[in-house]
Amino acid sequence: MTIQTSYDKDFRCIGQTLEESDVHVFELKRVGEQYVVQGGPFGAGSAWSKLHKFRLRFRSGSGADSLILGSTEIEALARKGRAQRFRPGRMPEFRRLSNLLRVVGAYLQTKRAQLVELNVRPFSISLCYRDVDGELQTEERTIRSFYSLFLELYGRRHESLDAPAVRALEAETSKT
């Protein structure tokens, strides 16, 4: 089984869109080449009541709070996000939905998995995916459990961003 999707990049774009709509509790499914997101913004009430209302709405088949994104929409969102995102030297905020989803996408990629369904709730994430053998796997994890992977990814990314500057500085000093 091979991965044809950059889940980290796709999920970050989806997260940015959901942040703009103030959606923090949702289900994300991969259907063919498209992502289907169903959820709603946090409103008044407890986290439990919000989750219960969302589940009832989802099970009833209400499409009022759904979003379907294909590769064209994802690419447009990526361009928009790049234009807004560039802030050199700043560490991204882990609790932002776009950053969290990017880490979850990277996690799936490290497992060489194919997304079936992702459920995001206020404090936890449920993942359903097919592993490299095609077996269906399910994980229930706290959001906090992804923090060390977030730091690792940021460290790698920070090093790769600094590498061109280091090479340019080395080239300058070797000329003299």
Side-chain angles (χ1 to χ4, degrees):
M1 177 185 315
T2 60
I3 293 180
Q4 300 171 354
T5 303
S6 295
Y7 288 124
D8 58 344
K9 295 173 185 166
D10 290 358
F11 285 9
R12 178 180 54 198
C13 294
I14 292 168
Q16 290 169 337
T17 300
L18 296 175
E19 285 170 347
E20 289 176 5
S21 302
D22 200 29
V23 173
H24 301 281
V25 176
F26 59 92
E27 292 184 0
L28 171 66
K29 294 180 182 182
R30 180 76 181 206
V31 180
E33 296 299 313
Q34 297 180 321
Y35 293 101
V36 178
V37 183
Q38 291 187 308
F42 278 135
S46 70
W48 178 253
S49 69
K50 293 173 207 171
L51 180 60
H52 180 70
K53 288 176 189 174
F54 170 72
R55 284 184 176 159
L56 288 175
R57 193 170 56 244
F58 179 74
R59 287 184 183 140
S60 72
S62 170
D65 295 331
S66 66
L67 174 66
I68 299 173
L69 298 165
S71 59
T72 305
E73 292 88 0
I74 294 288
E75 184 55 39
L77 292 171
R79 282 192 301 275
K80 179 182 173 187
R82 272 191 298 272
Q84 296 173 350
R85 188 169 51 244
F86 188 73
R87 293 183 191 126
R90 290 187 62 191
M91 181 168 180
E93 185 182 333
F94 172 68
R95 291 294 280 180
R96 286 194 58 155
L97 184 58
S98 55
N99 293 328
L100 174 61
L101 288 180
R102 182 179 190 183
V103 172
V104 172
Y107 175 74
L108 287 172
Q109 285 176 212
T110 62
K111 291 183 150 304
R112 299 183 336 177
Q114 290 185 334
L115 175 71
V116 174
E117 185 174 335
L118 169 71
N119 294 299
V120 177
R121 293 177 299 280
F123 302 107
S124 65
I125 293 177
S126 296
L127 287 165
C128 183
Y129 58 88
R130 295 209 178 274
D131 64 18
V132 293
D133 298 324
E135 298 292 320
L136 194 61
Q137 302 293 327
T138 304
E139 293 183 36
E140 180 74 28
R141 298 187 52 169
T142 64
I143 289 174
R144 175 177 273 184
S145 71
F146 287 101
Y147 188 68
S148 61
L149 180 57
F150 167 77
L151 292 175
E152 181 183 326
L153 292 171
Y154 174 75
R156 274 192 255 151
R157 189 168 149 235
H158 188 68
E159 288 172 7
S160 68
L161 291 175
D162 287 347
V166 170
R167 285 193 295 272
L169 184 58
E170 289 172 347
E172 286 276 324
T173 45
S174 67
K175 289 179 185 177
T176 57

